[in-house]
Amino acid sequence: MKKYYQYADDVINGKVIAGKTIKLACKRFLNDLQRDDLVFNESVVDDAIQFIGTLKHFTGRHSGKAFILEP
């Protein structure tokens, strides 16, 4: 099972702790998969996830650089 399906399922089933809006988003995602008027293209999503994974933070707390406050 793809990670995005598993995550949504885990949120709905309480295996992943999440707030109300995340729970609603996951529920909508899973419901939208059942709709005939929408198309979910896994290969496009997988390509987007792969591309986003190559992006790096150059500033801020996620950059991997130590943050030192100057007096």
Side-chain angles (χ1 to χ4, degrees), residues 13-29:
N13 292 320
K15 292 180 184 177
V16 171
I17 298 171
K20 182 179 179 180
T21 55
I22 299 298
K23 289 178 184 178
L24 289 171
C26 289
K27 188 172 186 176
R28 180 175 180 177
F29 170 68

Side-chain angles (χ1 to χ4, degrees), residues 21-59:
T21 55
I22 299 298
K23 289 178 184 178
L24 289 171
C26 289
K27 188 172 186 176
R28 180 175 180 177
F29 170 68
L30 294 174
N31 287 338
D32 283 351
L33 292 173
Q34 305 303 316
R35 291 177 52 175
D36 293 331
D37 60 329
L38 299 175
V39 176
F40 184 76
N41 191 331
E42 287 184 356
S43 65
V44 172
V45 174
D46 293 340
D47 289 346
I49 290 171
Q50 184 178 2
F51 171 73
I52 291 166
T54 65
L55 302 176
K56 304 294 181 212
H57 289 272
F58 288 98
T59 60

